[in-house]
Amino acid sequence: MRLVLLLLLLLSFSCASVETKQTTFKKVEHVYIFPVTNRTHEEALDVIFTKVADDVFYSDPRFKVDPKPIPGTTIIVKPSVDSISTFAVGFDRYDRATEYRMTVQATVKLFRYGFKKPFKVFKITRYDFYSNVGNPLEIERNRKECLSRIAEQIFSAVGEKLYAEGKEIESNAEVIK
């Protein structure tokens, strides 16, 4: 009788430990953000996008932005802006452009710290509108604000993809073990 109770006790402990291994996974929490590479003709685009990337990731409670990558834990995010296009979408009665649509395409590479090849590469395209009415300084300010809004959309999408990738990567690691 004692042997049966001991056997049942051992089985219950081993089943409980297997269940916790399958239901828990390690999320991607630590990220290191490379400065944005500007592959366009637009001046200071890399500065605007790098600032917005820092703002988005530092304010996201799911991630901890590391000032230096930590071996084994940090995922490196390496973004680049590939193209920017602007075209008129709104006109006044004299056929002068009053509103523009700006489209930005970016490529984001995700690396594990210490590896040279990315484990995930994806492209993100976002757009927004800005007003072309006012003096040249107001128009340029509207344009820069539009770039900042687009950058925020892009890096919010990067955060979502990174969070989803972290779940997928770690759940696949559990299956392999």
Side-chain angles (χ1 to χ4, degrees):
M1 182 70 171
R2 288 184 185 185
L3 182 61
V4 172
L5 286 175
L6 183 61
L7 196 61
L8 285 175
L9 185 63
L10 286 173
L11 283 174
S12 66
F13 280 126
S14 65
C15 290
S17 65
V18 169
E19 185 175 329
T20 56
K21 283 184 182 177
Q22 291 175 351
T23 57
T24 61
F25 60 89
K26 184 180 174 189
K27 299 180 287 191
V28 173
E29 293 177 344
H30 294 267
V31 295
Y32 176 80
I33 305 164
F34 258 82
V36 176
T37 304
N38 183 6
R39 301 188 191 285
T40 70
H41 64 281
E42 185 75 25
E43 264 185 51
L45 189 64
D46 50 343
V47 175
I48 293 169
F49 270 66
T50 299
K51 181 186 177 313
V52 171
D54 289 343
D55 291 345
V56 168
F57 277 100
Y58 276 106
S59 66
D60 193 336
R62 298 177 293 185
F63 303 112
K64 179 182 181 307
V65 180
D66 296 326
K68 284 184 169 180
I70 301 169
T73 12
T74 304
I75 298 295
I76 297 173
V77 178
K78 190 172 184 181
S80 66
V81 179
D82 300 327
S83 67
I84 181 171
S85 64
T86 307
F87 60 92
V89 294
F91 300 91
D92 64 7
R93 62 183 177 180
Y94 303 110
D95 283 338
R96 290 182 295 211
T98 59
E99 187 174 32
Y100 281 91
R101 175 183 164 169
M102 183 183 299
T103 305
V104 176
Q105 183 178 21
T107 301
V108 179
K109 296 177 181 178
L110 302 177
F111 295 86
R112 287 206 180 272
Y113 181 71
F115 289 84
K116 293 186 180 194
K117 291 190 177 186
F119 67 86
K120 185 74 173 179
V121 177
F122 52 90
K123 293 190 178 287
I124 299 176
T125 303
R126 295 292 187 266
Y127 67 89
D128 204 345
F129 301 92
Y130 70 94
S131 173
N132 193 43
V133 178
N135 65 41
L137 289 175
E138 291 172 340
I139 294 170
E140 186 61 24
R141 186 183 68 234
N142 292 344
R143 194 172 194 297
K144 298 292 184 192
E145 288 173 358
C146 182
L147 280 169
S148 293
R149 289 191 306 269
I150 292 171
E152 188 173 341
Q153 293 173 17
I154 287 172
F155 288 112
S156 294
V158 168
E160 292 301 319
K161 281 194 174 269
L162 187 59
Y163 190 69
E165 284 298 317
K167 286 184 176 179
E168 183 179 311
I169 291 165
E170 296 304 328
S171 63
N172 286 344
E174 290 294 326
V175 171
I176 293 170
K177 287 181 184 177

